[in-house]
Amino acid sequence: MNTTEMTAKMATGNGFIAALDQSGGSTPKALAGYGVTEDAWTTEEEMFGLIHDMRARIIRSDVFHGEKVIGAILFERTMDGHVDGKSVPAALIEKGVVPFIKIDKGLEDEVNGVQLMKPMPTLDALLEKSKALGVYGTKERSVINSANREGIAAVVAQQFEVGMQVLGHGMMPIIEPEVNIKSDTRAECDTMLLDEILKALDVLPEGTQVMLKLSLPVAPCTFDPLVNHPKVLRVVALSGGFKRPEACVELAKNTGIIASFSRALLEDLRHQMTNAEFDAALGAAINDIYTGSTQKTLVAA
């Protein structure tokens, strides 16, 4: 796939984006969920080797392919690794899966009800390296914990500033201002976030497009104005802590939004499984998330 073909797949492809981008802080939890306890490694390198083995097993699986999984988001160490002698981005592209890279370096402490992204002083170098490996786009995450207009505006401003830097390298940014699904003011957060994103889109240069990764809204179809916006290539949703059945039900209520799930994709996979058991569990998860992404449920007004 070349860049034009990847853009077309992101714009209209049936399927979802797999989030395989757990970073240093979340890797032990991801490994524990996979059935690998902390006594299985003694160094950080060994820990990252184990999570790479998990991701390589997923990518290598016959049930993981571009007919249902149209994209995958990678952690930098995963992008730098290999699957069966091929770079991970090349292995994904060979299977028809568009590669993305997680670029944020974690979150700042909460201010005004939100957590902004930490500085990314080496971002230009990472973007150059990623693009050279065939990576199509990026993903960058902030978190919104409460309905504070000033905080939400700051999150969106920072996200679009980074997005413009990514666009300057000829790559597609997935802008991810996550609303905490445990927030007491979640519905108000959704509304404020929609307003601020629309303002930011209004001032994007004509002909420019971004992608958006958003929490599933309290009110179904809240984000329809973004799904239908000419400056938005695609809107995807994170599971945000929902278990897969509930996440897929909520996803199916939102027309035009596809999944970009991590925990909900991986939750049934275990290190101890045989390859047949692993492929069956992964295949079932892929089918559930594909269905939620492509078969929508009409919700009465």
Side-chain angles (χ1 to χ4, degrees), residues 216-297:
L216 291 159
V218 175
C221 297
T222 292
F223 298 128
D224 277 1
L226 303 176
V227 171
N228 300 318
H229 201 288
K231 293 180 181 177
V232 177
L233 182 68
R234 201 77 182 258
V235 179
V236 305
L238 56 116
S239 54
F242 286 126
K243 291 288 188 179
R244 186 169 70 248
E246 186 177 4
C248 289
V249 167
E250 292 302 311
L251 175 64
K253 296 175 184 177
N254 289 274
T255 306
I257 298 181
I258 64 173
S260 177
F261 290 174
S262 175
R263 279 170 289 182
L265 173 64
L266 309 177
E267 61 189 33
D268 294 336
L269 303 181
R270 299 294 180 271
H271 169 70
Q272 298 83 356
M273 288 176 165
T274 66
N275 286 339
E277 291 169 338
F278 184 90
D279 288 353
L282 179 60
I286 287 173
N287 287 337
D288 287 348
I289 299 168
Y290 176 83
T291 299
S293 295
T294 60
Q295 297 180 24
K296 298 302 182 177
T297 305

